[in-house]
Amino acid sequence: MTTQRRSYETGHKPKCLVIVDDTAEWDRAVYYASRWAIRVGGGVVMLRIIEIEDQNQQWLGVADIMRAEAEEAANEALDRAAGRANGIAAITPERVIREGDPTAQILDVIDKDVDISMLVLAANPGPEGPGPLISMIAQVTGSFPIPVVIVPGDLSDPDIDALS
């Protein structure tokens, strides 16, 4: 990625990117990002990634139905997350739905929005590990184009308030 961040230049404002997925801890990332946004006068970009497996051409009609259902579910998830952000910080986050490989889509969203200055993720506090997205991002973190903030999934609202 070669796009220079412009978050703090005149006419720009810093934004954080939050991934809204099906994990229980997405709410912790949204909460942190929303609190951060009101503290710094920034914004929040919420990304939902649809992972559609390759479909056989003879099942193209079924694939279209599956894609439409996945997009509807993505919009519902973003509605919930945006409602949560609005309730926390009275902000209206930007919403992005992408399809494909999660790492590639995250990097592309960051590359296309020069105001995104950090990625906020929340980690699963359970024994099964931090979650697939954090595990995947950890593999590329050394060359990631922006800072990654990982919020522990078992932090309470007051704990996050004290940190953001």
Side-chain angles (χ1 to χ4, degrees), residues 50-135:
I50 300 171
E51 294 182 74
I52 302 282
E53 297 175 21
D54 289 337
Q55 307 297 328
N56 193 327
Q57 288 299 325
Q58 69 188 30
W59 298 106
L60 194 55
V62 174
D64 290 341
I65 291 170
M66 290 174 63
R67 183 171 280 110
E69 289 173 352
E71 191 164 323
E72 184 177 330
N75 276 309
E76 288 172 4
L78 289 172
D79 287 345
R80 283 190 307 277
R84 179 77 166 126
N86 188 275
I88 295 162
I91 61 172
T92 302
E94 295 175 38
R95 301 161 48 121
V96 179
I97 297 174
R98 291 292 192 89
E99 183 179 318
D101 173 65
T103 303
Q105 295 308 315
I106 291 167
L107 289 170
D108 192 55
V109 168
I110 292 167
D111 193 47
K112 286 185 170 50
D113 188 337
V114 296
D115 291 336
I116 294 175
S117 59
M118 79 168 111
L119 171 63
V120 178
L121 302 171
N124 178 357
E128 56 276 353
L133 189 55
I134 291 177
S135 297

